[in-house]
Amino acid sequence: MTSAWTNETAIQQWNSGSTRESMEATAERGDFAKEHLLNPVLLRLLGDVRGRRVLDAGCGNGYFSRMLAGRGAQVTGVEPAESLISFAREKAGEGISYVQADLARLPEMEPFDAVVCSMVLMAIPEWKPAMRACVEALRPGGLFVFAIVHPAFEELLGTWRKYGEYRQTEYLAEYEIAGRDASDFHRPLSAYLNEVAALGCRVREVAEPGLDPEMADGIESHVRMPNFLIVAAETGCPLMP
Ligand SMILES: C[S@@+](CC[C@H](N)C(=O)[O-])C[C@H]1O[C@@H](n2cnc3c(N)ncnc32)[C@H](O)[C@@H]1O
């Protein structure tokens, strides 16, 4: 269960679990999965970001903020963990500013054209206020793109290696998944999609990318099953109270 967790305890775990070595290793394009499965889809969904104000919500070491700034966006990265935001600030170039904050307590800012929240919502115990803050940070008609570990295939690599197939025994409940650096929290897919709808967004596209077989190099699981779920939605409908 997730009830023992608060956003503060989760953030502390991210702060202490993020080593200089791991941040350096993923500073340019993220890890292998981000490079090959997430980044191309996120960039396609965000479209031409030149001159656009983009919020990178839960930016971690800031690699994606730097990719967006390199494409001409005006980026604001939000990250609560001290170790990660210090690293991001150290590497920041032109067109990027950072705010240290929990997304669930986001300070007011000028509206953004797009908010990208990649691999963050499933790391937050109080995720609904965080998702609401992302949507409320947008101008009317703005674009909200979020990526999560696919709730139906969360432990893909581990179970595939163990059993030669994917196995999941619990889907409908909410529970903690302890990770190497920090914990994630499982919620069914409907929880995320229904919340986006309740926040007045219209879903434009849902992506479940698979790995190109030529890139697989022993990771057959990621060719056959989607390890990530990416949603692009736009604001516009009136927000529910
Ligand atoms: C898996 S990392 C993803 C980081 C980055 N978006 C990326 O793709 O590399 C999860 C991030 O969520 C951040 N995070 C955890 N709780 C948060 C919160 N309440 N508000 C904002 N970010 C949070 C962590 O500190 C960490 O940087």
Side-chain angles (χ1 to χ4, degrees), residues 7 10-11 14-15 18 30 34 38 56-64 78-81 84 101-105 117-126 130 184:
N7 282 16
I11 291 163
W14 277 102
N15 186 40
S18 305
K34 286 177 184 169
L38 281 179
D56 186 1
C59 63
N61 71 5
Y63 91 90
F64 200 68
V78 171
E79 170 57 46
L84 285 154
D102 176 344
L103 275 180
R105 291 159 192 79
C117 185
S118 179
M119 304 297 285
V120 175
L121 292 170
M122 77 285 151
I124 305 184
E126 288 174 67
D184 280 349

PDB file of all heavy atoms in Angstrom, residues 7 10-11 14-15 18 30 34 38 56-64 78-81 84 101-105 117-126 130 184, ligand 1:
ATOM      1  N   ASN A   7       4.738  12.845  -0.085  1.00  0.00           N
ATOM      2  CA  ASN A   7       5.609  13.376  -1.134  1.00  0.00           C
ATOM      3  C   ASN A   7       6.999  13.675  -0.577  1.00  0.00           C
ATOM      4  O   ASN A   7       8.011  13.431  -1.241  1.00  0.00           O
ATOM      5  CB  ASN A   7       5.002  14.654  -1.726  1.00  0.00           C
ATOM      6  CG  ASN A   7       3.874  14.345  -2.693  1.00  0.00           C
ATOM      7  OD1 ASN A   7       3.363  13.225  -2.703  1.00  0.00           O
ATOM      8  ND2 ASN A   7       3.487  15.318  -3.483  1.00  0.00           N
ATOM      9  N   ALA A  10       9.123  10.538  -0.290  1.00  0.00           N
ATOM     10  CA  ALA A  10       9.529  10.066  -1.623  1.00  0.00           C
ATOM     11  C   ALA A  10      10.638  10.959  -2.195  1.00  0.00           C
ATOM     12  O   ALA A  10      11.615  10.473  -2.779  1.00  0.00           O
ATOM     13  CB  ALA A  10       8.317  10.048  -2.554  1.00  0.00           C
ATOM     14  N   ILE A  11      10.497  12.269  -1.993  1.00  0.00           N
ATOM     15  CA  ILE A  11      11.509  13.216  -2.510  1.00  0.00           C
ATOM     16  C   ILE A  11      12.855  12.973  -1.818  1.00  0.00           C
ATOM     17  O   ILE A  11      13.907  12.986  -2.470  1.00  0.00           O
ATOM     18  CB  ILE A  11      11.016  14.675  -2.333  1.00  0.00           C
ATOM     19  CG1 ILE A  11       9.835  14.937  -3.278  1.00  0.00           C
ATOM     20  CG2 ILE A  11      12.148  15.671  -2.589  1.00  0.00           C
ATOM     21  CD1 ILE A  11       9.011  16.171  -2.940  1.00  0.00           C
ATOM     22  N   TRP A  14      14.524  10.139  -3.485  1.00  0.00           N
ATOM     23  CA  TRP A  14      15.137  10.524  -4.758  1.00  0.00           C
ATOM     24  C   TRP A  14      16.425  11.312  -4.524  1.00  0.00           C
ATOM     25  O   TRP A  14      17.406  11.137  -5.235  1.00  0.00           O
ATOM     26  CB  TRP A  14      14.155  11.373  -5.589  1.00  0.00           C
ATOM     27  CG  TRP A  14      13.207  10.496  -6.322  1.00  0.00           C
ATOM     28  CD1 TRP A  14      11.906  10.226  -5.978  1.00  0.00           C
ATOM     29  CD2 TRP A  14      13.490   9.715  -7.484  1.00  0.00           C
ATOM     30  NE1 TRP A  14      11.374   9.331  -6.861  1.00  0.00           N
ATOM     31  CE2 TRP A  14      12.310   9.002  -7.798  1.00  0.00           C
ATOM     32  CE3 TRP A  14      14.607   9.552  -8.286  1.00  0.00           C
ATOM     33  CZ2 TRP A  14      12.244   8.138  -8.887  1.00  0.00           C
ATOM     34  CZ3 TRP A  14      14.539   8.685  -9.369  1.00  0.00           C
ATOM     35  CH2 TRP A  14      13.366   7.991  -9.659  1.00  0.00           C
ATOM     36  N   ASN A  15      16.387  12.162  -3.487  1.00  0.00           N
ATOM     37  CA  ASN A  15      17.551  12.996  -3.202  1.00  0.00           C
ATOM     38  C   ASN A  15      18.754  12.134  -2.834  1.00  0.00           C
ATOM     39  O   ASN A  15      19.845  12.302  -3.370  1.00  0.00           O
ATOM     40  CB  ASN A  15      17.204  13.965  -2.068  1.00  0.00           C
ATOM     41  CG  ASN A  15      18.319  14.944  -1.818  1.00  0.00           C
ATOM     42  OD1 ASN A  15      18.948  15.433  -2.767  1.00  0.00           O
ATOM     43  ND2 ASN A  15      18.601  15.208  -0.567  1.00  0.00           N
ATOM     44  N   SER A  18      20.039   9.423  -5.804  1.00  0.00           N
ATOM     45  CA  SER A  18      20.586   9.880  -7.090  1.00  0.00           C
ATOM     46  C   SER A  18      22.057  10.231  -6.926  1.00  0.00           C
ATOM     47  O   SER A  18      22.400  11.268  -6.356  1.00  0.00           O
ATOM     48  CB  SER A  18      19.805  11.113  -7.578  1.00  0.00           C
ATOM     49  OG  SER A  18      18.441  10.817  -7.646  1.00  0.00           O
ATOM     50  N   GLY A  30      19.455  10.678 -21.310  1.00  0.00           N
ATOM     51  CA  GLY A  30      18.756   9.759 -20.419  1.00  0.00           C
ATOM     52  C   GLY A  30      19.351   8.370 -20.547  1.00  0.00           C
ATOM     53  O   GLY A  30      20.406   8.201 -21.176  1.00  0.00           O
ATOM     54  N   LYS A  34      15.068   5.545 -22.210  1.00  0.00           N
ATOM     55  CA  LYS A  34      14.615   6.907 -22.535  1.00  0.00           C
ATOM     56  C   LYS A  34      15.085   7.295 -23.935  1.00  0.00           C
ATOM     57  O   LYS A  34      14.328   7.859 -24.723  1.00  0.00           O
ATOM     58  CB  LYS A  34      15.124   7.899 -21.487  1.00  0.00           C
ATOM     59  CG  LYS A  34      14.365   7.773 -20.173  1.00  0.00           C
ATOM     60  CD  LYS A  34      14.896   8.696 -19.105  1.00  0.00           C
ATOM     61  CE  LYS A  34      14.144   8.430 -17.804  1.00  0.00           C
ATOM     62  NZ  LYS A  34      14.743   9.077 -16.636  1.00  0.00           N
ATOM     63  N   LEU A  38      11.440   6.624 -25.187  1.00  0.00           N
ATOM     64  CA  LEU A  38      10.678   7.800 -24.739  1.00  0.00           C
ATOM     65  C   LEU A  38      10.982   9.068 -25.520  1.00  0.00           C
ATOM     66  O   LEU A  38      10.066   9.741 -25.996  1.00  0.00           O
ATOM     67  CB  LEU A  38      10.968   8.069 -23.251  1.00  0.00           C
ATOM     68  CG  LEU A  38      10.239   7.202 -22.242  1.00  0.00           C
ATOM     69  CD1 LEU A  38      10.659   7.585 -20.829  1.00  0.00           C
ATOM     70  CD2 LEU A  38       8.728   7.358 -22.381  1.00  0.00           C
ATOM     71  N   ASP A  56       9.195  21.548 -17.797  1.00  0.00           N
ATOM     72  CA  ASP A  56       9.652  20.157 -17.637  1.00  0.00           C
ATOM     73  C   ASP A  56       9.395  19.799 -16.167  1.00  0.00           C
ATOM     74  O   ASP A  56      10.176  20.147 -15.276  1.00  0.00           O
ATOM     75  CB  ASP A  56      11.134  20.061 -18.011  1.00  0.00           C
ATOM     76  CG  ASP A  56      11.664  18.629 -18.010  1.00  0.00           C
ATOM     77  OD1 ASP A  56      10.878  17.701 -17.731  1.00  0.00           O
ATOM     78  OD2 ASP A  56      12.866  18.450 -18.277  1.00  0.00           O
ATOM     79  N   ALA A  57       8.268  19.135 -15.931  1.00  0.00           N
ATOM     80  CA  ALA A  57       7.770  18.921 -14.571  1.00  0.00           C
ATOM     81  C   ALA A  57       8.375  17.660 -13.967  1.00  0.00           C
ATOM     82  O   ALA A  57       8.090  16.555 -14.412  1.00  0.00           O
ATOM     83  CB  ALA A  57       6.240  18.808 -14.619  1.00  0.00           C
ATOM     84  N   GLY A  58       9.231  17.839 -12.958  1.00  0.00           N
ATOM     85  CA  GLY A  58       9.965  16.706 -12.379  1.00  0.00           C
ATOM     86  C   GLY A  58      11.149  16.385 -13.279  1.00  0.00           C
ATOM     87  O   GLY A  58      11.288  15.268 -13.768  1.00  0.00           O
ATOM     88  N   CYS A  59      12.003  17.383 -13.480  1.00  0.00           N
ATOM     89  CA  CYS A  59      13.005  17.306 -14.565  1.00  0.00           C
ATOM     90  C   CYS A  59      14.218  16.445 -14.221  1.00  0.00           C
ATOM     91  O   CYS A  59      15.059  16.204 -15.078  1.00  0.00           O
ATOM     92  CB  CYS A  59      13.453  18.703 -14.956  1.00  0.00           C
ATOM     93  SG  CYS A  59      14.287  19.577 -13.615  1.00  0.00           S
ATOM     94  N   GLY A  60      14.345  15.999 -12.962  1.00  0.00           N
ATOM     95  CA  GLY A  60      15.477  15.147 -12.609  1.00  0.00           C
ATOM     96  C   GLY A  60      16.804  15.838 -12.872  1.00  0.00           C
ATOM     97  O   GLY A  60      16.999  16.999 -12.497  1.00  0.00           O
ATOM     98  N   ASN A  61      17.704  15.144 -13.568  1.00  0.00           N
ATOM     99  CA  ASN A  61      19.030  15.740 -13.839  1.00  0.00           C
ATOM    100  C   ASN A  61      18.991  16.784 -14.962  1.00  0.00           C
ATOM    101  O   ASN A  61      20.016  17.352 -15.325  1.00  0.00           O
ATOM    102  CB  ASN A  61      20.068  14.651 -14.147  1.00  0.00           C
ATOM    103  CG  ASN A  61      19.843  13.982 -15.491  1.00  0.00           C
ATOM    104  OD1 ASN A  61      18.972  14.372 -16.275  1.00  0.00           O
ATOM    105  ND2 ASN A  61      20.616  12.941 -15.773  1.00  0.00           N
ATOM    106  N   GLY A  62      17.812  16.998 -15.537  1.00  0.00           N
ATOM    107  CA  GLY A  62      17.640  18.084 -16.504  1.00  0.00           C
ATOM    108  C   GLY A  62      17.991  17.723 -17.937  1.00  0.00           C
ATOM    109  O   GLY A  62      18.012  18.590 -18.802  1.00  0.00           O
ATOM    110  N   TYR A  63      18.206  16.418 -18.224  1.00  0.00           N
ATOM    111  CA  TYR A  63      18.651  16.087 -19.590  1.00  0.00           C
ATOM    112  C   TYR A  63      17.618  16.497 -20.630  1.00  0.00           C
ATOM    113  O   TYR A  63      17.949  17.014 -21.695  1.00  0.00           O
ATOM    114  CB  TYR A  63      19.007  14.585 -19.707  1.00  0.00           C
ATOM    115  CG  TYR A  63      17.842  13.721 -20.136  1.00  0.00           C
ATOM    116  CD1 TYR A  63      17.581  13.471 -21.480  1.00  0.00           C
ATOM    117  CD2 TYR A  63      16.956  13.192 -19.204  1.00  0.00           C
ATOM    118  CE1 TYR A  63      16.496  12.700 -21.877  1.00  0.00           C
ATOM    119  CE2 TYR A  63      15.880  12.429 -19.586  1.00  0.00           C
ATOM    120  CZ  TYR A  63      15.645  12.183 -20.929  1.00  0.00           C
ATOM    121  OH  TYR A  63      14.559  11.447 -21.321  1.00  0.00           O
ATOM    122  N   PHE A  64      16.316  16.295 -20.301  1.00  0.00           N
ATOM    123  CA  PHE A  64      15.294  16.596 -21.307  1.00  0.00           C
ATOM    124  C   PHE A  64      15.092  18.110 -21.429  1.00  0.00           C
ATOM    125  O   PHE A  64      14.841  18.604 -22.528  1.00  0.00           O
ATOM    126  CB  PHE A  64      13.984  15.866 -20.988  1.00  0.00           C
ATOM    127  CG  PHE A  64      13.083  15.743 -22.188  1.00  0.00           C
ATOM    128  CD1 PHE A  64      13.441  14.936 -23.260  1.00  0.00           C
ATOM    129  CD2 PHE A  64      11.900  16.465 -22.266  1.00  0.00           C
ATOM    130  CE1 PHE A  64      12.632  14.854 -24.406  1.00  0.00           C
ATOM    131  CE2 PHE A  64      11.085  16.376 -23.393  1.00  0.00           C
ATOM    132  CZ  PHE A  64      11.441  15.570 -24.451  1.00  0.00           C
ATOM    133  N   VAL A  78      11.207  21.977 -13.191  1.00  0.00           N
ATOM    134  CA  VAL A  78      10.808  21.916 -11.782  1.00  0.00           C
ATOM    135  C   VAL A  78      11.296  20.595 -11.210  1.00  0.00           C
ATOM    136  O   VAL A  78      11.051  19.532 -11.802  1.00  0.00           O
ATOM    137  CB  VAL A  78       9.276  22.012 -11.622  1.00  0.00           C
ATOM    138  CG1 VAL A  78       8.862  21.723 -10.185  1.00  0.00           C
ATOM    139  CG2 VAL A  78       8.796  23.392 -12.032  1.00  0.00           C
ATOM    140  N   GLU A  79      11.998  20.665 -10.094  1.00  0.00           N
ATOM    141  CA  GLU A  79      12.531  19.451  -9.480  1.00  0.00           C
ATOM    142  C   GLU A  79      12.685  19.707  -7.967  1.00  0.00           C
ATOM    143  O   GLU A  79      13.291  20.711  -7.582  1.00  0.00           O
ATOM    144  CB  GLU A  79      13.889  19.102 -10.114  1.00  0.00           C
ATOM    145  CG  GLU A  79      14.686  18.018  -9.435  1.00  0.00           C
ATOM    146  CD  GLU A  79      13.944  16.688  -9.314  1.00  0.00           C
ATOM    147  OE1 GLU A  79      13.329  16.209 -10.286  1.00  0.00           O
ATOM    148  OE2 GLU A  79      13.957  16.127  -8.205  1.00  0.00           O
ATOM    149  N   PRO A  80      12.153  18.822  -7.125  1.00  0.00           N
ATOM    150  CA  PRO A  80      12.254  19.070  -5.688  1.00  0.00           C
ATOM    151  C   PRO A  80      13.532  18.537  -5.031  1.00  0.00           C
ATOM    152  O   PRO A  80      13.945  19.043  -3.997  1.00  0.00           O
ATOM    153  CB  PRO A  80      11.031  18.343  -5.121  1.00  0.00           C
ATOM    154  CG  PRO A  80      10.771  17.234  -6.101  1.00  0.00           C
ATOM    155  CD  PRO A  80      11.260  17.698  -7.426  1.00  0.00           C
ATOM    156  N   ALA A  81      14.136  17.494  -5.606  1.00  0.00           N
ATOM    157  CA  ALA A  81      15.269  16.838  -4.919  1.00  0.00           C
ATOM    158  C   ALA A  81      16.540  17.676  -5.092  1.00  0.00           C
ATOM    159  O   ALA A  81      16.955  17.979  -6.223  1.00  0.00           O
ATOM    160  CB  ALA A  81      15.472  15.424  -5.462  1.00  0.00           C
ATOM    161  N   LEU A  84      19.432  16.399  -7.437  1.00  0.00           N
ATOM    162  CA  LEU A  84      19.109  16.431  -8.864  1.00  0.00           C
ATOM    163  C   LEU A  84      19.066  17.864  -9.397  1.00  0.00           C
ATOM    164  O   LEU A  84      19.614  18.157 -10.456  1.00  0.00           O
ATOM    165  CB  LEU A  84      17.784  15.701  -9.115  1.00  0.00           C
ATOM    166  CG  LEU A  84      17.913  14.184  -9.025  1.00  0.00           C
ATOM    167  CD1 LEU A  84      16.602  13.525  -8.638  1.00  0.00           C
ATOM    168  CD2 LEU A  84      18.402  13.606 -10.349  1.00  0.00           C
ATOM    169  N   ALA A 101      10.804  22.691  -6.405  1.00  0.00           N
ATOM    170  CA  ALA A 101       9.464  22.596  -5.804  1.00  0.00           C
ATOM    171  C   ALA A 101       8.882  21.201  -6.004  1.00  0.00           C
ATOM    172  O   ALA A 101       9.193  20.507  -6.973  1.00  0.00           O
ATOM    173  CB  ALA A 101       8.527  23.625  -6.437  1.00  0.00           C
ATOM    174  N   ASP A 102       8.023  20.832  -5.065  1.00  0.00           N
ATOM    175  CA  ASP A 102       7.150  19.667  -5.204  1.00  0.00           C
ATOM    176  C   ASP A 102       6.045  20.083  -6.173  1.00  0.00           C
ATOM    177  O   ASP A 102       5.450  21.159  -6.015  1.00  0.00           O
ATOM    178  CB  ASP A 102       6.579  19.391  -3.787  1.00  0.00           C
ATOM    179  CG  ASP A 102       5.562  18.269  -3.755  1.00  0.00           C
ATOM    180  OD1 ASP A 102       5.047  17.868  -4.809  1.00  0.00           O
ATOM    181  OD2 ASP A 102       5.282  17.807  -2.631  1.00  0.00           O
ATOM    182  N   LEU A 103       5.777  19.264  -7.171  1.00  0.00           N
ATOM    183  CA  LEU A 103       4.757  19.627  -8.161  1.00  0.00           C
ATOM    184  C   LEU A 103       3.397  19.848  -7.518  1.00  0.00           C
ATOM    185  O   LEU A 103       2.583  20.625  -8.018  1.00  0.00           O
ATOM    186  CB  LEU A 103       4.621  18.509  -9.200  1.00  0.00           C
ATOM    187  CG  LEU A 103       5.576  18.516 -10.382  1.00  0.00           C
ATOM    188  CD1 LEU A 103       5.258  17.336 -11.274  1.00  0.00           C
ATOM    189  CD2 LEU A 103       5.462  19.819 -11.166  1.00  0.00           C
ATOM    190  N   ALA A 104       3.154  19.146  -6.421  1.00  0.00           N
ATOM    191  CA  ALA A 104       1.862  19.296  -5.749  1.00  0.00           C
ATOM    192  C   ALA A 104       1.746  20.654  -5.058  1.00  0.00           C
ATOM    193  O   ALA A 104       0.663  21.023  -4.592  1.00  0.00           O
ATOM    194  CB  ALA A 104       1.667  18.172  -4.738  1.00  0.00           C
ATOM    195  N   ARG A 105       2.858  21.380  -4.980  1.00  0.00           N
ATOM    196  CA  ARG A 105       2.860  22.723  -4.364  1.00  0.00           C
ATOM    197  C   ARG A 105       3.595  23.693  -5.284  1.00  0.00           C
ATOM    198  O   ARG A 105       4.475  24.433  -4.859  1.00  0.00           O
ATOM    199  CB  ARG A 105       3.540  22.678  -2.981  1.00  0.00           C
ATOM    200  CG  ARG A 105       2.728  21.907  -1.963  1.00  0.00           C
ATOM    201  CD  ARG A 105       3.545  21.402  -0.780  1.00  0.00           C
ATOM    202  NE  ARG A 105       2.775  20.435   0.003  1.00  0.00           N
ATOM    203  CZ  ARG A 105       2.589  19.162  -0.317  1.00  0.00           C
ATOM    204  NH1 ARG A 105       3.139  18.661  -1.416  1.00  0.00           N
ATOM    205  NH2 ARG A 105       1.857  18.361   0.429  1.00  0.00           N
ATOM    206  N   CYS A 117       5.838  15.912 -18.510  1.00  0.00           N
ATOM    207  CA  CYS A 117       6.022  15.323 -17.177  1.00  0.00           C
ATOM    208  C   CYS A 117       6.394  13.855 -17.417  1.00  0.00           C
ATOM    209  O   CYS A 117       5.533  12.988 -17.534  1.00  0.00           O
ATOM    210  CB  CYS A 117       4.702  15.462 -16.403  1.00  0.00           C
ATOM    211  SG  CYS A 117       4.814  14.921 -14.689  1.00  0.00           S
ATOM    212  N   SER A 118       7.700  13.623 -17.558  1.00  0.00           N
ATOM    213  CA  SER A 118       8.147  12.321 -18.027  1.00  0.00           C
ATOM    214  C   SER A 118       8.663  11.456 -16.887  1.00  0.00           C
ATOM    215  O   SER A 118       9.655  11.817 -16.223  1.00  0.00           O
ATOM    216  CB  SER A 118       9.256  12.513 -19.084  1.00  0.00           C
ATOM    217  OG  SER A 118       9.720  11.266 -19.525  1.00  0.00           O
ATOM    218  N   MET A 119       8.000  10.333 -16.665  1.00  0.00           N
ATOM    219  CA  MET A 119       8.414   9.336 -15.669  1.00  0.00           C
ATOM    220  C   MET A 119       8.372   9.906 -14.244  1.00  0.00           C
ATOM    221  O   MET A 119       9.239   9.597 -13.429  1.00  0.00           O
ATOM    222  CB  MET A 119       9.841   8.848 -15.998  1.00  0.00           C
ATOM    223  CG  MET A 119       9.975   8.300 -17.372  1.00  0.00           C
ATOM    224  SD  MET A 119       8.937   6.855 -17.578  1.00  0.00           S
ATOM    225  CE  MET A 119       9.883   5.660 -16.681  1.00  0.00           C
ATOM    226  N   VAL A 120       7.373  10.690 -13.961  1.00  0.00           N
ATOM    227  CA  VAL A 120       7.299  11.378 -12.679  1.00  0.00           C
ATOM    228  C   VAL A 120       6.038  11.015 -11.887  1.00  0.00           C
ATOM    229  O   VAL A 120       6.116  10.732 -10.684  1.00  0.00           O
ATOM    230  CB  VAL A 120       7.359  12.919 -12.905  1.00  0.00           C
ATOM    231  CG1 VAL A 120       7.163  13.676 -11.607  1.00  0.00           C
ATOM    232  CG2 VAL A 120       8.686  13.307 -13.557  1.00  0.00           C
ATOM    233  N   LEU A 121       4.885  10.981 -12.550  1.00  0.00           N
ATOM    234  CA  LEU A 121       3.635  10.832 -11.783  1.00  0.00           C
ATOM    235  C   LEU A 121       3.585   9.523 -10.995  1.00  0.00           C
ATOM    236  O   LEU A 121       3.058   9.487  -9.881  1.00  0.00           O
ATOM    237  CB  LEU A 121       2.417  10.955 -12.711  1.00  0.00           C
ATOM    238  CG  LEU A 121       2.224  12.366 -13.297  1.00  0.00           C
ATOM    239  CD1 LEU A 121       1.165  12.351 -14.392  1.00  0.00           C
ATOM    240  CD2 LEU A 121       1.850  13.378 -12.214  1.00  0.00           C
ATOM    241  N   MET A 122       4.183   8.459 -11.547  1.00  0.00           N
ATOM    242  CA  MET A 122       4.134   7.180 -10.801  1.00  0.00           C
ATOM    243  C   MET A 122       5.151   7.167  -9.661  1.00  0.00           C
ATOM    244  O   MET A 122       5.193   6.212  -8.876  1.00  0.00           O
ATOM    245  CB  MET A 122       4.304   5.971 -11.742  1.00  0.00           C
ATOM    246  CG  MET A 122       5.684   5.664 -12.222  1.00  0.00           C
ATOM    247  SD  MET A 122       6.277   6.793 -13.476  1.00  0.00           S
ATOM    248  CE  MET A 122       8.026   6.737 -13.171  1.00  0.00           C
ATOM    249  N   ALA A 123       5.964   8.256  -9.557  1.00  0.00           N
ATOM    250  CA  ALA A 123       6.936   8.356  -8.459  1.00  0.00           C
ATOM    251  C   ALA A 123       6.396   9.215  -7.314  1.00  0.00           C
ATOM    252  O   ALA A 123       7.083   9.392  -6.310  1.00  0.00           O
ATOM    253  CB  ALA A 123       8.242   8.961  -8.985  1.00  0.00           C
ATOM    254  N   ILE A 124       5.175   9.751  -7.482  1.00  0.00           N
ATOM    255  CA  ILE A 124       4.642  10.706  -6.500  1.00  0.00           C
ATOM    256  C   ILE A 124       3.477  10.094  -5.734  1.00  0.00           C
ATOM    257  O   ILE A 124       2.457   9.733  -6.339  1.00  0.00           O
ATOM    258  CB  ILE A 124       4.179  12.011  -7.198  1.00  0.00           C
ATOM    259  CG1 ILE A 124       5.298  12.613  -8.038  1.00  0.00           C
ATOM    260  CG2 ILE A 124       3.696  13.008  -6.163  1.00  0.00           C
ATOM    261  CD1 ILE A 124       4.955  13.947  -8.672  1.00  0.00           C
ATOM    262  N   PRO A 125       3.588   9.994  -4.400  1.00  0.00           N
ATOM    263  CA  PRO A 125       2.451   9.478  -3.627  1.00  0.00           C
ATOM    264  C   PRO A 125       1.173  10.307  -3.826  1.00  0.00           C
ATOM    265  O   PRO A 125       0.133   9.774  -4.170  1.00  0.00           O
ATOM    266  CB  PRO A 125       2.950   9.531  -2.173  1.00  0.00           C
ATOM    267  CG  PRO A 125       4.451   9.463  -2.293  1.00  0.00           C
ATOM    268  CD  PRO A 125       4.788  10.199  -3.567  1.00  0.00           C
ATOM    269  N   GLU A 126       1.261  11.647  -3.631  1.00  0.00           N
ATOM    270  CA  GLU A 126       0.092  12.526  -3.859  1.00  0.00           C
ATOM    271  C   GLU A 126       0.134  13.009  -5.302  1.00  0.00           C
ATOM    272  O   GLU A 126       0.489  14.166  -5.567  1.00  0.00           O
ATOM    273  CB  GLU A 126       0.176  13.775  -2.976  1.00  0.00           C
ATOM    274  CG  GLU A 126      -0.062  13.608  -1.514  1.00  0.00           C
ATOM    275  CD  GLU A 126       0.221  14.944  -0.807  1.00  0.00           C
ATOM    276  OE1 GLU A 126      -0.512  15.915  -1.023  1.00  0.00           O
ATOM    277  OE2 GLU A 126       1.219  15.007  -0.081  1.00  0.00           O
ATOM    278  N   ALA A 130      -0.421  16.916  -8.181  1.00  0.00           N
ATOM    279  CA  ALA A 130       0.713  17.166  -9.092  1.00  0.00           C
ATOM    280  C   ALA A 130       0.217  17.234 -10.533  1.00  0.00           C
ATOM    281  O   ALA A 130       0.607  18.127 -11.297  1.00  0.00           O
ATOM    282  CB  ALA A 130       1.761  16.076  -8.918  1.00  0.00           C
ATOM    283  N   ASP A 184       8.402   3.394  -6.912  1.00  0.00           N
ATOM    284  CA  ASP A 184       7.280   3.834  -7.744  1.00  0.00           C
ATOM    285  C   ASP A 184       6.003   3.358  -7.080  1.00  0.00           C
ATOM    286  O   ASP A 184       6.048   2.514  -6.172  1.00  0.00           O
ATOM    287  CB  ASP A 184       7.372   3.211  -9.140  1.00  0.00           C
ATOM    288  CG  ASP A 184       8.362   3.951 -10.035  1.00  0.00           C
ATOM    289  OD1 ASP A 184       8.807   5.047  -9.663  1.00  0.00           O
ATOM    290  OD2 ASP A 184       8.682   3.407 -11.104  1.00  0.00           O
TER     291      ASP A 184
HETATM  292  C1  LIG B   1      12.266   8.688 -12.805  1.00  0.00           C
HETATM  293  S1  LIG B   1      12.784  10.306 -12.405  1.00  0.00           S
HETATM  294  C2  LIG B   1      12.445  11.151 -13.930  1.00  0.00           C
HETATM  295  C3  LIG B   1      13.208  12.419 -14.052  1.00  0.00           C
HETATM  296  C4  LIG B   1      13.150  13.081 -15.444  1.00  0.00           C
HETATM  297  N1  LIG B   1      11.839  13.540 -15.796  1.00  0.00           N
HETATM  298  C5  LIG B   1      13.711  12.141 -16.473  1.00  0.00           C
HETATM  299  O1  LIG B   1      12.954  11.677 -17.338  1.00  0.00           O
HETATM  300  O2  LIG B   1      14.909  11.841 -16.400  1.00  0.00           O
HETATM  301  C6  LIG B   1      11.482  10.846 -11.317  1.00  0.00           C
HETATM  302  C7  LIG B   1      11.646  12.290 -10.878  1.00  0.00           C
HETATM  303  O3  LIG B   1      10.486  12.723 -10.189  1.00  0.00           O
HETATM  304  C8  LIG B   1      10.898  13.593  -9.175  1.00  0.00           C
HETATM  305  N2  LIG B   1       9.846  13.751  -8.173  1.00  0.00           N
HETATM  306  C9  LIG B   1       9.521  12.918  -7.165  1.00  0.00           C
HETATM  307  N3  LIG B   1       8.521  13.449  -6.443  1.00  0.00           N
HETATM  308  C10 LIG B   1       8.212  14.636  -7.006  1.00  0.00           C
HETATM  309  C11 LIG B   1       7.273  15.674  -6.715  1.00  0.00           C
HETATM  310  N4  LIG B   1       6.444  15.559  -5.677  1.00  0.00           N
HETATM  311  N5  LIG B   1       7.228  16.769  -7.506  1.00  0.00           N
HETATM  312  C12 LIG B   1       8.085  16.857  -8.573  1.00  0.00           C
HETATM  313  N6  LIG B   1       8.977  15.925  -8.907  1.00  0.00           N
HETATM  314  C13 LIG B   1       9.055  14.819  -8.128  1.00  0.00           C
HETATM  315  C14 LIG B   1      12.145  12.900  -8.633  1.00  0.00           C
HETATM  316  O4  LIG B   1      12.899  13.744  -7.801  1.00  0.00           O
HETATM  317  C15 LIG B   1      12.820  12.504  -9.920  1.00  0.00           C
HETATM  318  O5  LIG B   1      13.612  13.546 -10.423  1.00  0.00           O
END
